[in-house]
Amino acid sequence: MPGVRIEIRGIVQGVGFRPFVYNLAQKCHLRGYVLNDTDGVEVEAEGSKPDLDRFLHGIRSSAPPQSRIVEMKVLKIAPQGYPDFTIRESKKKDTRTVLVSPDLATCPDCLNELFDPEDRRFNYPFLNCTNCGPRLTIIQDTPYDRRKTTMSAFKMCEDCSQEYLNPLNRRFHAQPNACPVCGPRLTLTDNQGGRLSTTDQISTTIELLKKGYIIAIKGIGGYHLACDATNNKAVSVLRKRKYREDKPFALMAKDLETIRRFCHLNPSEVELLQTIQRPIVLLKKKKVNLIAPEVAPLQKNLGVMLPYSPLHHLLLRNSNLILVMTSGNQSDEPIAYEDKEAFGRLKKIADYFLFHNREIHRRCDDSVTRVFSGKEMVLRRGRGYVPLPINVDLKFKEHILAAGAQLKNTFCLARDNFAFPSTHIGDLENYETLDFYSREIERFKKLCSVKPEVVAYDMHPEYLSTKYALSLKNIKKIPVQHHYAHIASCMAENKISQKVIGVAFDGTGYGEDENIWGGEFLLADLKGFQRMAHFKYVSMPGGDAAIKHPWMMAISYLYACYGEDFLNLNLEFVRRIDLSRWNLIKQMLDQKVNLFLTSSAGRLFDSVSVLLNFREKTNYEGQPAVELEFWADEKIKSKYGFEMTLEQDKFVIHPEKIIKGVVDDLVKKERKSKIAAKFHNTVAQIINEVCSRLRKECDLDSVCLSGGVFQNMLLLSRTYALLNKNKFRVYTHHLVPPNDGGISLGQAVIANQRI
Ligand SMILES: [Zn+2]
Ligand SMILES: [Zn+2]
């Protein structure tokens, strides 16, 4: 009678793996045990040879849906003579490599109970089971056991204990198991902290929302600010109090049918909305819809998610509400997640607070994603995705920390075959975000068992992530150029290592010549890159001021194209320019003071956008480009001209003809929608032509598209179509964002190559 010892690695804790093994062992008439340890799951089993074979096959073929087996080692051992099969106490080892599960949306079984008046968990906002519920956000340490989660504060009642201990129950070893008798509870207060006298917090919250109040609602990875999304006044008040102009708010609606009332849905989007990650999905807004215009001004899309916690289902199922559910913070601070802190920070924004007493151990923002060409494209990676590793087709030689970029920061940890991108951290511009960044690095290192020996960082000397990396002691430091990191990130997630043509279009990135790059064509593999083509340098008067105030950038283009004569152009844009400010800018441009040179594609989009529609300042990153896409009429196929020259072995793309084309059209009073479309078509055409030239020179036919500019769906789909037609193999992002949130993955793989 043989015996085996099995070690299973991967996401095997918090997903019902032990009960699964237990039940399978019973079916196969085996004896032995299963336990969680700090590396994963350990099993010993003995029985007949055919039973053992059946058992091993079963583990591989029918593991729980949310688990992910990365490695399974099977060792023959002498039988120990176990009397039965048991689940044993968890074991701590010196190593800890177990992968932690992300938070999981409420499963259909739990939903049925939630709305079943006969069930003991009827209307209970914290029910969960082995297939669903909070994970990452409540786990304090591994191995995953109730006492190492924030649920340790709640002692299970008799009924819950029985479920927890019964191997045939679907709550067998469900660590956050709870019920109305023993589990977390809701409290509803006003913004002075006074409790509302109600026995039904949910109904009262619904009433308040319907009256137009703003409620801070404690969720899974932090607080949301919620209000009625069809009430324009409520949404405007929220905007004002949150200091958030224009940047779109996310929505939550109870089901697909409701979403169809205001957005178009294709089958891939339907699927994505319903995944267990439950991300915010960007969907095309219907022309006529009931959503308040203030939710997403001048946007083609709305970000929408389905309910993912029992509390959300209770708020939405019978209320007919569609909610704004935006991160609980003021402007760009990180999302609030601790009760006291949340109350302090949000009491000026929210009228009421819906608290609960299950502590959130770590903050995790909602993820934002969309469908491109039938596949998911993640734009912000957070709840539901983190801490899942990205499987890359290489082995990290040492443990690596990649510090990421400045805006939309994520960092990335790497070991073995895994890269672990962090949750969305945010813009490293204020103290709170920087503090979150450095603390989350420490906590994530522990969670992912990474002890960095190498740190990779952006070359930009002023990035706070760079300064953080340089301040670390006793660690190898490897700088990585920004756009190269973009391309490497796209290569890594697509598992390609051969040379590619990398098209990196974004707003800002520090170049090797110390200029601001952003419209780059690189010849790249993981060993290195060569800059083959770029947009012609233009002056950026005032540096970052020209990003904040895009009209300054547009003036720079006009001055470069027309000299001072641009002031005589019959353009609304010119009439809006304050002459005293123009004189200041002219001085900068003429005397070359406080001036930076940039090849940024993002700045070109900004400039064309403000030429069409003057805007004093940008209220969120990329706003002018988002609006340009919003105006563009997709039926228009015409385009502008452009020129390309060869300068010092590099192709330089001259945008003069584009700017002049736009200006001529504006003078002719051409429709904004036509000009915007022609501009998009032109940029796609440029990419296609430059890639064709590079193919001839370098004999390469793979193209990687990366950088924040490719969040623009019109540009991306036009470019993709042209390159495909031209027989290129085109790679885009799916797993990490094309924007600077994807930089850290690229930094990690490049650093690994350079060690
Ligand atoms: Zn469940
Ligand atoms: Zn209970």
Side-chain angles (χ1 to χ4, degrees), residues 331-398:
S331 50
D332 291 325
E333 292 169 0
I335 184 169
Y337 73 110
E338 288 167 321
D339 300 336
K340 253 198 195 151
E341 167 232 2
F343 187 72
R345 278 169 60 194
L346 304 181
K347 66 182 176 190
K348 288 204 180 85
I349 306 175
D351 301 299
Y352 296 93
F353 283 77
L354 186 57
F355 290 107
H356 62 70
N357 58 346
R358 184 178 66 205
E359 194 194 317
I360 299 173
H361 180 64
R362 61 173 72 228
R363 63 161 65 88
C364 197
D365 257 304
D366 292 323
S367 298
V368 182
T369 175
R370 76 182 317 158
V371 172
F372 170 68
S373 163
K375 272 172 90 178
E376 177 173 23
M377 177 173 164
V378 171
L379 301 174
R380 180 170 86 186
R381 208 170 169 275
R383 179 190 47 76
Y385 295 76
V386 179
L388 290 179
I390 309 272
N391 251 320
V392 288
D393 220 8
L394 52 89
K395 189 160 167 60
F396 289 100
K397 293 173 229 166
E398 294 183 45

Side-chain angles (χ1 to χ4, degrees), residues 110 113-114 119-130 132-134 138 146 150-157 159-161 163-164 170-171 173-185 310 357-358:
C110 286
E113 288 181 5
L114 184 65
D119 194 276
R120 71 187 189 92
R121 290 189 177 85
F122 177 53
N123 280 348
Y124 180 58
F126 303 97
L127 89 171
N128 61 78
C129 72
T130 49
C132 75
I138 59 163
R146 188 172 176 107
T150 60
M151 280 303 290
S152 61
F154 302 91
K155 191 175 176 315
M156 270 184 276
C157 69
D159 289 341
C160 285
S161 294
E163 294 166 338
Y164 184 85
R170 65 186 187 85
R171 296 202 164 88
H173 282 256
Q175 307 304 346
N177 190 24
C179 79
V181 175
C182 65
R185 286 172 197 202
N357 58 346
R358 184 178 66 205

Side-chain angles (χ1 to χ4, degrees), residues 587-703:
Q587 271 176 30
M588 285 190 230
L589 291 169
D590 288 347
Q591 293 162 21
K592 302 200 178 353
V593 287
N594 197 10
L595 215 60
F596 295 82
L597 290 179
T598 185
S599 56
S600 162
R603 298 293 83 80
L604 183 60
F605 272 82
D606 284 1
S607 302
V608 172
S609 177
V610 289
L611 282 175
L612 267 61
N613 190 48
F614 185 88
R615 105 170 356 270
E616 169 60 36
K617 68 176 180 42
T618 297
N619 290 323
Y620 60 89
E621 200 209 352
Q623 183 181 18
V626 168
E627 294 181 358
L628 197 61
E629 183 186 1
F630 171 77
W631 293 315
D633 177 351
E634 293 177 24
K635 292 189 286 294
I636 304 283
K637 303 285 180 222
S638 52
K639 46 191 178 284
Y640 298 111
F642 69 95
E643 266 168 349
M644 201 154 73
T645 54
L646 193 63
E647 292 172 24
Q648 293 162 349
D649 298 343
K650 287 180 186 59
F651 292 114
V652 175
I653 305 143
H654 299 252
E656 280 86 351
K657 278 193 173 168
I658 306 176
I659 296 290
K660 285 184 170 166
V662 169
V663 167
D664 288 349
D665 274 351
L666 281 169
V667 171
K668 275 191 281 181
K669 304 267 184 267
E670 199 56 87
R671 279 179 302 130
K672 204 152 71 173
S673 57
K674 185 173 175 186
I675 302 173
K678 280 171 80 176
F679 174 72
H680 280 85
N681 299 343
T682 312
V683 178
Q685 184 62 29
I686 289 172
I687 296 172
N688 187 36
E689 282 198 21
V690 175
C691 288
S692 302
R693 296 284 281 269
L694 294 179
R695 170 161 61 190
K696 261 188 221 145
E697 305 228 332
C698 322
D699 195 26
L700 292 175
D701 61 1
S702 295
V703 178

Side-chain angles (χ1 to χ4, degrees), residues 507-530:
T508 310
Y510 195 77
E512 289 189 318
D513 59 1
E514 299 185 10
N515 290 322
I516 309 293
W517 294 8
E520 313 303 315
F521 294 80
L522 312 178
L523 209 63
D525 58 18
L526 295 182
K527 292 190 200 91
F529 77 97
Q530 222 182 324

